[in-house]
Amino acid sequence: KESYRILNAELEHQTKNLRDAYSTLKAVSDIGKQLTATLDLPTIYRSVNHHVKSLMPCDVFGVALYNEVGNSIEYQYLVEDDTSLESSTIPLNQKSSFAVYCFKNSESFIVNTMNEDTSQYTDGRSSSFGNAMPAFMFHPLILRGNTIGVLTVQSKKENVYNDNTLTVLGIVASYLSIAISNAKNAENMQSLNRELSLLSKKDGLTGIFNKRYFNETISNLWYYAMRNQEPLSILMVDIDCFKEYNDLYGHLAGDKVLKTKSVILEKNVKRSSDIVARFGGDEFIILLSNTDSNGAVQVADTIVAAINDGQIIHEGSPISGYLTLSIGCATMIPQADSSPSQLIEKSDLCLLMAKKSGRNGVHATNDSIVINHSSSD
C-alpha cells in the first residue's frame, strides 16, 4: 500500500508537470500565432504582456530597444500592474542599469532576491524606473546574431522565477524579436511606398505636381463640384518667348527659370485645395476649387505681377526687357453633360487670346463674361 501510495503520488506529480508543460507550450504557441497576425508594435507588446502574465508572476513588463543614433536603449513599452510607466532612455555607458548589462553582454539572468549569489548582476546596479523589484528576469532580444533590445519581467515577490521561467521568457523573446523586425520592415516599406507615391505625382525638374496627378485631381473635384454646383477655375500659364530665352541663355538657364516660376506660382496659390502642376514644357496649369471667374482673375493678376516684380532679364523678348507670363483663365460649374477636358480646352483658348492680345497679361472667360487684362491695365 505504501509503495502504491508513493507511486500514485509520483504519477500525480508527473501528470501535473505534463499538464503545466502542455499549458505553457500552448500559451507560447498562441503568442507565436498572435505575433504573426499583426504588424502594430503597441498591439504586439500588449499581447505579449497579457500572455506572459498567464505563464509566470509579472507585476512589471518592459521592452526596450536599441537606439543607434543616441547609443542608448529606450523602453518602448513599460507597465506595472497594467499601468503604463513613463518610458525612459538609458545611455549604454550607464553602469548601474540591469537593462544595459543585459544588452551589452547579450546575457539573460534571474535575480530572485538580493544576495551574494547574484552579486555579478546586482553589484552597483539598480532599477532604471521606480522602485527595484525583489525578483526579476532580463533577456536580450536577439535577431540574426545581433542584440536589438531587452525584455524584462519583474515581480513584487521573492523567489518566484527559475530556469524554466527563464527558458520560457527566452522563447517569448525570440518570437518578439522576429515580430519587432517584421513590424519595422513593414513600417519602412510603407514609408518608402509613400515616398514613391509622392514622387510619382511630382515633376522631376520643378518639384511641383505633374500632369498625371493634375488629371487625377480634377476628375475627383469635378464630380464633387457637380454635386455641390460650385465653380471650378483653371489658369493655363505660359512663359512668353521662352524659346528665345533658351536660345539666348541656354537650356540650363531655362531650367532655372522653370524652377523659379514654379516657386512663384505655388507661393501665390495659397489654398491647400488648389493644385499647381507642370502641364508640359514651359506651360503650367492651376486648378482653383470653388473659385469663380473674378477670383481666378485676381489670382492670375497676382501671379503676373509677381513675375514682373522678379525682373528676370530677357533681352531676347520683344515685349519687355524682362521675363513675362501670359495666362488664360476659364471657369465652369460642372454639369452632367460637361467634362474636365472642356474646361482645360477653354483655358487653353483663353491663353491663346492672351498671347494674341500682346502677351504679358490675362485673358479670362466664364462662358458669359470675357475679361482681358494686360500688364498696362
Side-chain angles (χ1 to χ4, degrees):
K1 288 181 179 179
E2 180 63 16
S3 297
Y4 177 78
R5 186 190 66 79
I6 293 173
L7 179 60
N8 189 55
E10 179 63 24
L11 287 173
E12 287 181 355
H13 178 69
Q14 291 183 11
T15 300
K16 181 180 182 301
N17 287 342
L18 285 173
R19 285 174 178 167
D20 290 344
Y22 173 77
S23 177
T24 299
L25 182 63
K26 184 177 184 305
V28 170
S29 176
D30 288 343
I31 292 175
K33 291 177 182 178
Q34 290 193 15
L35 293 190
T36 58
T38 180
L39 295 172
D40 180 63
L41 282 177
T43 302
I44 289 171
Y45 296 146
R46 287 193 298 270
S47 175
V48 174
N49 180 30
H50 171 75
H51 283 289
V52 167
K53 288 178 67 175
S54 70
L55 294 170
M56 62 189 73
C58 179
D59 296 311
V60 172
F61 178 87
V63 179
L65 300 182
Y66 176 59
N67 182 337
E68 186 176 359
V69 176
N71 194 34
S72 60
I73 53 175
E74 299 177 354
Y75 275 97
Q76 307 292 310
Y77 186 81
L78 188 60
V79 294
E80 180 175 349
D81 295 329
D82 293 326
T83 300
S84 295
L85 301 177
E86 184 176 350
S87 297
S88 58
T89 299
I90 312 169
L92 286 189
N93 59 8
Q94 174 69 264
K95 296 181 179 180
S96 61
S97 166
F98 293 114
V100 169
Y101 178 91
C102 174
F103 179 85
K104 293 180 73 172
N105 292 278
S106 297
E107 180 182 350
S108 61
F109 60 87
I110 300 173
V111 172
N112 268 311
T113 184
M114 297 293 187
N115 57 38
E116 293 182 359
D117 294 336
T118 59
S119 60
Q120 61 176 316
Y121 305 120
T122 60
D123 187 26
R125 297 185 185 89
S126 61
S127 175
S128 303
F129 47 85
N131 296 321
M133 297 287 111
F136 49 86
M137 296 186 294
F138 278 85
H139 203 291
L141 298 171
I142 299 175
L143 184 70
R144 292 187 286 273
N146 296 317
T147 303
I148 63 171
V150 297
L151 172 64
T152 184
V153 173
Q154 306 182 14
S155 173
K156 296 176 181 178
K157 296 180 180 180
E158 295 184 345
N159 301 311
V160 293
Y161 300 127
N162 53 43
D163 289 342
N164 289 334
T165 53
L166 187 61
T167 298
V168 171
L169 190 66
I171 297 172
V172 172
S174 297
Y175 279 135
L176 184 56
S177 298
I178 295 171
I180 290 171
S181 175
N182 290 341
K184 294 287 187 182
N185 289 338
E187 183 180 331
N188 292 337
M189 185 62 70
Q190 289 174 355
S191 177
L192 180 60
N193 286 336
R194 284 193 295 269
E195 291 180 15
L196 290 174
S197 177
L198 183 60
L199 286 175
S200 70
K201 301 173 183 177
K202 297 286 187 173
D203 175 63
L205 174 64
T206 62
I208 63 174
F209 290 116
N210 56 27
K211 184 177 181 179
R212 171 186 165 189
Y213 180 72
F214 174 86
N215 288 333
E216 291 175 358
T217 302
I218 194 173
S219 294
N220 294 330
L221 288 180
W222 188 265
Y223 295 106
Y224 177 84
M226 185 188 301
R227 286 195 304 271
N228 294 279
Q229 284 299 282
E230 295 176 351
L232 286 180
S233 291
I234 283 183
L235 310 185
M236 191 70 75
V237 185
D238 190 63
I239 300 176
D240 295 325
C241 307
F242 187 64
K243 180 181 183 303
E244 289 79 0
Y245 188 91
N246 272 334
D247 292 343
L248 184 61
Y249 299 104
H251 288 281
L252 290 178
D255 289 347
K256 185 178 179 180
V257 162
L258 292 175
K259 294 177 184 177
T260 301
K261 177 185 172 183
S262 300
V263 172
I264 293 174
L265 293 180
E266 286 198 313
K267 185 177 179 180
N268 288 279
V269 178
K270 303 181 185 301
R271 297 185 307 179
S272 59
S273 59
D274 298 333
I275 300 295
V276 178
R278 188 179 179 194
F279 209 60
D282 62 321
E283 202 167 58
F284 292 75
I285 194 166
I286 300 172
L287 175 61
L288 304 174
S289 61
N290 195 17
T291 303
D292 61 17
S293 183
N294 289 330
V297 169
Q298 288 179 8
V299 174
D301 283 340
T302 300
I303 291 171
V304 170
I307 290 291
N308 290 337
D309 290 344
Q311 293 190 333
I312 301 172
I313 296 175
H314 186 357
E315 295 177 344
S317 172
I319 307 162
S320 167
Y322 301 102
L323 200 73
T324 58
L325 295 181
S326 293
I327 301 179
C329 302
T331 301
M332 287 178 63
I333 296 177
Q335 304 298 326
D337 59 349
S338 62
S339 67
S341 61
Q342 290 176 297
L343 181 57
I344 295 173
E345 289 173 5
K346 288 178 183 295
S347 67
D348 205 27
L349 288 173
C350 286
L351 174 61
L352 182 61
M353 293 302 298
K355 288 181 173 293
K356 287 183 177 180
S357 300
R359 295 188 172 93
N360 191 22
V362 178
H363 185 91
T365 179
N366 66 351
D367 290 336
S368 60
I369 299 174
V370 176
I371 306 171
N372 189 29
H373 285 195
S374 68
S375 62
S376 60
D377 285 345

